[in-house]
Amino acid sequence: MLRDERLKIIYDEKRWRLLNQLRAEAIELMDALNSMHIFSIVHGSIARGDVTEKSDIDIFIPDVIPSFLVETALERAGISISERILVQATPTYSIKAYIGIDERRSVSFPLSKLRKTEREFYKFGGEATLEMLRRGVRVPGVDKRLMLIEPTEDGHIESSILGREGEVAKLLGISIETVLDRVRTLTRRDKIGRTGLFIERRLASNETFELVLKELAERNPAVRRRLRTV
């Protein structure tokens, strides 16, 4: 696609049904969290609207909160947890808790403070709150192909962000640094593939995220440094 080319996509009835179904599932998870006064967002294609059969329901809590509150909120709503994983993408990234519900649905939240670019990552891809989902709001955002998705009444318009990073940053209300960081990351991933996580630690049923993080910090200087910085 040429730099200035804009492609108009019109959704068929099947795609609208899929979007409504996925959003209903996202609302169920976010409602459960909201019942414990936990603010959350859904990000990616469900927020933008350009869903496919492969779309995941990724719920993110942007605040550092006790993990037991999240787990309790889900359990009270009758939502079973299939796995809990402590992850850190690189030594400089925030350490996060990942709670898998099933193959498609997950809830994650930071165990250490997010840097500005980390928080804006979700806005880059498009994020929506519970209230926005209830109102049927779709938001602009960038997909993994580095295509800007701009919702329209009957679908969306997509266009490449390459060479338009400043314009896209302004449109999404984020810093140019975040856009450039995502371009570098996704371009590199496209060339060499996805690299492994710096830390990926599955929790046993009797472990908590906080205890495992404490143990990791005691053994790993990089983890200790990240916990001290923002």
Side-chain angles (χ1 to χ4, degrees):
M1 179 177 285
L2 298 175
R3 173 178 162 179
D4 297 326
E5 188 176 351
R6 289 162 60 85
L7 185 63
K8 183 175 176 61
I9 306 295
I10 296 176
Y11 298 170
D12 58 18
E13 189 176 329
K14 181 181 178 182
R15 197 169 199 180
W16 286 117
R17 278 200 308 269
L18 178 61
L19 176 60
N20 290 334
Q21 174 198 327
L22 293 175
R23 284 191 155 205
E25 292 183 45
I27 286 172
E28 179 190 15
L29 289 174
M30 296 169 81
D31 250 336
L33 297 171
N34 190 55
S35 70
M36 295 277 287
H37 307 289
I38 299 170
F39 173 77
S40 65
I41 58 170
V42 65
H43 62 97
S45 61
I46 293 176
R48 299 187 304 260
D50 57 313
V51 294
T52 69
E53 294 289 347
K54 294 182 179 179
S55 292
D56 292 324
I57 302 170
D58 297 318
I59 308 300
F60 183 67
I61 301 163
D63 304 306
V64 178
I65 63 171
S67 62
F68 81 88
L69 290 178
V70 179
E71 294 178 32
T72 299
L74 296 174
E75 289 165 2
R76 282 185 178 178
I79 299 169
S80 299
I81 295 171
S82 66
E83 61 180 357
R84 298 178 302 147
I85 310 173
L86 186 148
V87 297
Q88 186 180 22
T90 74
T92 61
Y93 275 41
S94 171
I95 301 148
K96 295 174 186 169
Y98 173 91
I99 296 176
I101 310 301
D102 51 35
E103 289 184 356
R104 171 176 271 177
R105 299 180 296 164
S106 68
V107 176
S108 60
F109 52 96
L111 296 169
S112 58
K113 289 184 179 179
L114 297 171
R115 288 194 171 97
K116 181 182 178 182
T117 54
E118 290 182 274
R119 177 62 186 90
E120 290 185 343
F121 159 80
Y122 299 93
K123 295 179 181 178
F124 175 82
E127 67 177 44
T129 64
L130 176 59
E131 181 58 30
M132 290 166 72
L133 291 189
R134 285 175 171 157
R135 298 200 328 262
V137 174
R138 289 178 290 137
V139 300
V142 180
D143 68 12
K144 292 174 183 175
R145 303 170 300 156
L146 292 174
M147 299 295 286
L148 173 65
I149 307 298
E150 298 177 89
T152 60
E153 189 174 330
D154 54 3
H156 73 253
I157 292 173
E158 59 183 51
S159 56
S160 173
I161 72 167
L162 298 178
R164 304 166 54 212
E165 289 86 353
E167 173 193 341
V168 170
K170 188 174 182 180
L171 173 69
L172 300 179
I174 60 178
S175 65
I176 182 68
E177 289 79 16
T178 297
V179 176
L180 293 174
D181 177 73
R182 295 310 300 160
V183 169
R184 280 193 299 270
T185 300
L186 292 171
T187 301
R188 183 171 181 268
R189 186 180 297 171
D190 191 46
K191 289 179 180 176
I192 67 172
R194 184 184 289 270
T195 55
L197 296 167
F198 177 62
I199 293 175
E200 184 176 14
R201 166 71 155 78
R202 292 179 182 274
L203 273 63
S205 59
N206 63 337
E207 292 180 314
T208 66
F209 282 108
E210 288 80 6
L211 181 59
V212 170
L213 178 58
K214 182 175 181 291
E215 292 172 351
L216 284 172
E218 288 171 353
R219 299 197 308 266
N220 192 323
V223 173
R224 287 199 299 275
R225 281 194 297 272
R226 183 57 183 87
L227 291 175
R228 289 196 299 264
T229 60
V230 178

